[in-house]
């Protein structure tokens, strides 16, 4: 065996590691970035307050930051905002979960078989072109004003993006990976889960992210039509009550939730891909 | 630790016993293998029927310009591509598909970017269902063989081209194949790294006595490494001549005997190829 192999000394060095170049400058860079951000938003709120105080618009058309903040606090105190957030997130989670499972399966199917790709693939490409809010009328007709209608809209919003992401990932996988894996005895389920899916990960992630944006948008649109305690529902409710501060407060919360999901869910996934594949920031 | 290592080596050896050829026997036998395919309504003869026998433990280089069918033949031997006609026998067993007794190494190394170096080396062992602890021990051993200690947890994009090829070699050796099929593995490397890897490959080869088929378009690389150099010519792809290289090892690329042999082989290639300009383009004069 190769036990006694002794070969020339190696002087090759790896390419410069990403983390080494001067930790200190890095920290300083992050700090100055944080300061810039804080300054920008402080200025924005100041301008906002100034506009509100100047009463250019009527008070029932434009709310100032203090009113909105008051509304955010009272909304959380009486529990409505908490319930609304949970309701909307639950719909998103169930719907997105369903389209995740279906989308990965469909993507694998379309990506691995030429005939399915020609037929089903073309249909999915067509449906992807349909803005997902367009599913709302049909969904209300089929399911009535029920939870299922909301979840259906979310599923339709995310499903095709995820499917196409998986499909594209499989197509863009260098064939040499599959050859090497098969040569090393990988086949069937192990080949799919250990080679094809991880190789497709960067592209799958793009599909997942696009799917989530579409799902979130169509859910908000659907909730506007359906009066319950949900984020979209409260937004519409604010209009009915002529409560401009509530509308601003809900919109703020929708933005913050979106940013939170982006950074907490997709941030770490994107970091994994960046570190392993070595994609530039 | 030492005990574990010995246990791991025992498994490798017992694996190897089933696969490794008898000393002096035939490792690879190629009989009447050809490859034709249709392209734009034309029949392209990628490889005319060839016969070839490779002894166990032999290091044979396939030499020729691009389009001469040398890589195609290697793929067919690996079982990753079907022949239009003919049969391949590895260790007297007919080849019907890819197998872990014949591992193909690619020019682009084909390492998996989502795995680190060690996980890449363990890949084949994982497919064989070898438990994690044993995998780690075996992987460690071959990472040491190719001098990559300290880079076990580096990702592929962090490695240089030479280190990627070393990782690929370790990944292949970990499976303990009887035959290594190397498809221009050092073709994309700079001359210094390539020289060093030649020496390392020779050392690994003499320690493991694996059969190696090495595809290259570099005449001097072929002569420096091979016991035998099989010369291919293009359009249609075919074997034109075989040279047995009896120069003592280790060989130097500057050795005048080696350079003379290179000139002789180039002469053969030139006269055998109608499209001589293309040979000029691919080889130039003996450098």
């Amino acid at each position: 065996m190769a036990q006694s192999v002794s070969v020339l000394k190696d002087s090759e060095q790896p390419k410069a590691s990403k983390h080494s170049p001067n930790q200190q400058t890095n920290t300083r860079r992050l700090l100055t970035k944080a300061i810039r951000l804080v300054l920008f938003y402080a200025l924005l709120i100041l301008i906002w307050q100034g506009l509100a105080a100047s009463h250019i618009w009527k008070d029932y058309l434009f709310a100032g930051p203090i009113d909105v903040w008051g509304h955010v606090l009272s909304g959380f105190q009486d529990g409505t905002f908490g319930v609304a957030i949970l309701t909307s997130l639950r719909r998103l989670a169930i719907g997105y979960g369903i389209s995740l499972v279906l989308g990965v399966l469909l993507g694998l199917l379309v990506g691995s078989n030429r005939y399915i790709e020609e037929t089903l693939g073309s249909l999915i490409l067509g449906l992807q072109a349909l803005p997902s809010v367009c599913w709302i009328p049909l969904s209300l007709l089929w399911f009535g004003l029920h939870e299922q209608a909301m979840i259906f809209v979310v599923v339709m919003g995310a499903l095709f993006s995820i499917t196409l992401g998986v499909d594209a990932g499989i197509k863009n996988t260098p064939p040499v990976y599959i050859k090497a894996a098969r040569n090393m005895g990988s086949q069937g389920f192990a080949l799919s889960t250990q080679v094809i899916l991880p190789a497709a990960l960067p592209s799958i992630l793009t599909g997942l992210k696009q799917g989530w944006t579409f799902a979130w948008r169509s859910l908000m649109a659907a909730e506007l039509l359906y009066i319950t305690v949900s984020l979209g529902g409260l937004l519409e409710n604010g209009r009915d009550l002529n409560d401009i501060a509530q509308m601003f407060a809900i919109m703020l919360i929708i933005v913050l939730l979106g940013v939170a999901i982006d950074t907490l869910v997709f941030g770490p996934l994107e970091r994994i891909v960046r570190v392993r594949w070595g994609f530039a920031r | 630790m030492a005990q574990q290592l010995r246990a791991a080596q025992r498994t490798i050896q017992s694996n190897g016993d089933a696969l490794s050829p008898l000393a002096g026997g035939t490792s690879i036998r190629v009989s009447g293998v050809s490859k034709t395919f249709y392209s734009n309504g034309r029949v392209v003869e990628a490889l005319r029927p060839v016969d070839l026998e490779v002894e166990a433990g032999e290091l044979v280089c396939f030499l020729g310009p691009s389009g001469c069918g040398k890589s195609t033949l290697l793929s067919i031997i690996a079982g990753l591509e079907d022949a239009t006609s003919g049969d391949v026998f590895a260790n007297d067993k007919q080849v019907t598909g890819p197998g872990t007794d014949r591992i193909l190494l690619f020019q682009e190394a084909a390492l998996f970017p989502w795995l680190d170096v060690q996980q890449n080396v363990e890949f084949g062992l994982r497919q064989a269902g070898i438990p994690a602890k044993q995998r780690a021990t075996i992987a460690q051993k071959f990472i040491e063989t190719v001098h990559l200690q300290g880079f076990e947890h580096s990702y592929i994009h962090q490695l240089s081209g030479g280190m990627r090829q070393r990782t690929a070699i370790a990944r292949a050796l970990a499976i303990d194949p009887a035959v290594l099929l190397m498809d221009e593995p050092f073709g994309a490397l700079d001359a210094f790294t390539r020289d060093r890897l030649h020496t390392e490959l020779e050392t690994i080869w003499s320690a493991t006595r694996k059969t190696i088929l090495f595809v290259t378009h570099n005449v001097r690389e072929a002569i420096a490494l091979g016991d035998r150099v099989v010369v291919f010519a293009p359009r249609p792809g075919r074997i034109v001549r075989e040279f047995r290289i009896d120069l003592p090892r280790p060989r130097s690329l500057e050795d005048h005997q080696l350079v003379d042999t290179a000139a002789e082989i180039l002469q053969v290639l030139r006269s055998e190829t109608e499209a001589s300009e293309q040979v000029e383009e691919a080889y130039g004069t003996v450098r």
Side-chain angles (χ1 to χ4, degrees):
Chain A
M1 285 310 308
Q3 225 169 346
S4 56
V5 177
S6 76
V7 199
L8 281 187
K9 290 281 174 298
D10 176 38
S11 55
E12 277 179 62
Q13 290 299 318
K15 291 172 190 164
S17 157
K18 266 214 169 94
H19 315 287
S20 58
N22 226 326
Q23 206 84 42
Q24 245 183 344
T25 23
N26 221 10
T27 333
R28 193 180 306 158
R29 206 163 47 86
L30 282 177
L31 200 71
T32 51
K33 184 183 168 192
I35 291 171
R36 280 198 298 271
L37 274 176
V38 168
L39 280 179
F40 171 74
Y41 283 106
L43 190 67
L44 199 67
I45 290 170
L46 222 67
I47 294 172
W48 180 12
Q49 175 59 34
L51 283 174
S54 67
H55 297 287
I56 302 171
W57 300 285
K58 297 198 171 67
D59 279 355
Y60 62 87
L61 292 181
F62 193 82
I66 296 166
D67 279 354
V68 171
W69 180 243
H71 231 95
V72 169
L73 284 184
S74 68
F76 276 108
Q77 267 156 12
D78 67 19
T80 36
F81 282 14
V83 172
I85 290 172
L86 284 181
T87 309
S88 294
L89 284 185
R90 199 173 53 89
R91 287 169 179 164
L92 185 74
I94 294 173
Y96 193 74
I98 292 172
S99 38
L100 186 65
V101 174
L102 285 181
V104 169
L105 288 177
L106 269 177
L108 280 173
L109 218 65
V110 172
S112 52
N113 184 303
R114 192 159 55 89
Y115 298 110
I116 297 178
E117 146 146 62
E118 281 169 4
T119 52
L120 190 62
S122 68
L123 177 68
I124 289 171
L125 213 60
L127 290 177
Q128 161 75 358
L130 182 69
S132 44
V133 283
C134 296
W135 289 99
I136 294 173
L138 190 69
S139 160
L140 290 176
L141 197 64
W142 280 358
F143 299 99
L145 285 171
H146 286 291
E147 274 310 286
Q148 290 98 305
M150 301 292 130
I151 290 168
F152 179 76
V153 169
V154 174
V155 171
M156 285 302 149
L159 179 62
F160 305 119
S161 298
I162 297 176
T163 304
L164 292 174
V166 174
D167 176 39
I170 292 171
K171 295 235 173 62
N172 295 335
T173 299
V176 75
Y177 289 161
I178 315 282
K179 279 192 197 173
R182 284 180 58 217
N183 194 190
M184 289 185 281
S186 187
Q187 51 184 323
F189 187 69
L191 185 67
S192 295
T193 54
Q194 289 179 33
V195 181
I196 296 176
L197 281 180
L201 188 61
S203 170
I204 292 177
L205 195 56
T206 312
L208 289 181
K209 222 177 146 175
Q210 195 187 52
W212 123 255
T213 351
F214 286 170
W216 183 234
R217 282 162 201 207
S218 40
L219 176 66
M220 289 303 111
E223 284 183 348
L224 287 178
L225 300 177
Y226 180 31
I227 302 304
T228 50
V229 182
S230 62
L231 288 172
L234 285 183
L235 190 57
E236 184 63 9
N237 179 251
R239 189 179 72 93
D240 289 342
L241 298 177
N242 245 346
D243 189 345
I244 189 72
Q246 173 168 330
M247 292 168 73
F248 275 37
I250 293 290
M251 285 168 73
L252 189 68
I253 286 170
I254 293 174
V255 168
L256 291 178
L257 270 180
V259 172
I261 291 174
D262 251 347
T263 41
L264 296 180
V265 179
F266 293 100
L269 283 173
E270 285 175 319
R271 200 149 43 241
I272 289 174
V273 168
R274 209 163 48 218
V275 167
R276 302 204 168 190
W277 267 259
F279 292 151
R281 283 160 181 269
Chain B
M1 189 63 214
Q3 219 166 7
Q4 272 177 342
L5 199 73
R6 238 174 287 136
Q9 270 157 11
R10 250 200 311 279
T11 28
I12 297 175
Q13 253 146 15
S14 61
N15 270 347
D17 283 344
L19 303 167
S20 67
L22 302 164
T26 309
S27 179
I28 297 285
R29 190 153 60 84
V30 172
S31 138
V33 167
S34 75
K35 178 85 180 182
T36 51
F37 57 86
Y38 290 92
S39 170
N40 298 330
R42 276 188 324 128
V43 181
V44 178
E45 217 173 354
L47 191 64
R48 263 199 188 156
V50 294
D51 298 303
L52 185 75
E53 282 200 6
V54 179
E55 277 172 36
E58 206 180 359
L59 204 169
V60 176
C61 292
F62 291 1
L63 174 72
S66 41
C68 69
K70 57 193 195 304
S71 293
T72 308
L73 181 58
L74 208 67
S75 265
I76 291 171
I77 294 172
L80 289 167
E81 208 173 309
D82 291 326
T84 308
S85 71
D87 301 297
V88 175
F89 298 88
N91 222 356
D92 291 326
K93 266 184 23 205
Q94 183 155 14
V95 169
T96 53
T100 50
D101 57 332
R102 291 155 280 127
I103 297 293
L104 184 60
L105 286 107
F106 305 87
Q107 178 171 343
E108 59 273 54
L111 298 167
F112 303 134
W114 58 92
L115 302 177
D116 65 20
V117 167
Q118 179 166 347
Q119 289 167 329
N120 263 288
V121 176
E122 287 183 16
F123 184 85
L125 304 169
R126 195 167 160 206
Q127 306 308 310
I130 292 170
K133 241 184 173 172
Q134 224 174 339
R135 287 205 304 256
T137 322
I138 298 171
Q140 190 56 44
K141 184 183 136 193
F142 288 104
I143 286 171
E144 280 166 25
T145 302
V146 298
H147 302 284
L148 282 178
Q149 303 98 299
F151 296 107
E152 287 86 350
H153 302 297
S154 299
Y155 286 108
I156 304 312
H157 71 94
Q158 298 171 312
L159 305 179
S160 68
M163 295 169 90
R164 285 179 205 187
Q165 284 301 341
R166 285 157 197 242
T167 309
I169 291 170
R171 183 173 73 170
L173 289 175
I175 302 168
D176 195 30
V179 184
L180 288 180
L181 306 167
M182 308 183 83
D183 192 0
E184 304 197 31
F186 309 146
L189 304 179
D190 63 87
F192 296 106
T193 311
R194 195 164 58 217
D195 281 0
R196 202 157 47 224
L197 282 170
H198 285 161
T199 320
E200 293 197 17
L201 180 65
E202 213 172 5
T203 317
I204 289 169
W205 171 65
S206 58
T208 59
R209 303 312 299 181
K210 295 201 180 299
T211 309
I212 298 181
L213 299 187
F214 191 102
V215 164
T216 178
H217 57 253
N218 183 323
V219 187
R220 290 209 274 168
E221 180 174 57
I223 302 167
L225 286 175
D227 290 328
R228 233 185 330 149
V229 174
V230 179
V231 180
F232 287 68
R235 283 172 294 272
R238 65 200 190 276
I239 294 177
V240 292
R241 191 90 160 258
E242 273 189 37
F243 291 84
R244 183 159 287 285
I245 312 293
D246 285 323
L247 304 174
R249 292 176 190 272
R251 298 167 185 164
S252 155
L253 285 175
E254 285 71 41
D255 183 274
H256 66 91
Q257 274 180 292
L258 193 149
V259 176
D260 290 348
T261 318
E264 191 187 335
I265 291 179
L266 268 178
Q267 196 56 50
V268 169
L269 254 173
R270 284 224 182 78
S271 60
E272 285 288 347
T273 314
E274 291 95 343
S276 56
E277 302 143 10
Q278 260 141 345
V279 178
E280 289 284 346
E281 213 177 83
Y283 291 94
T285 47
V286 185
R287 274 158 291 170

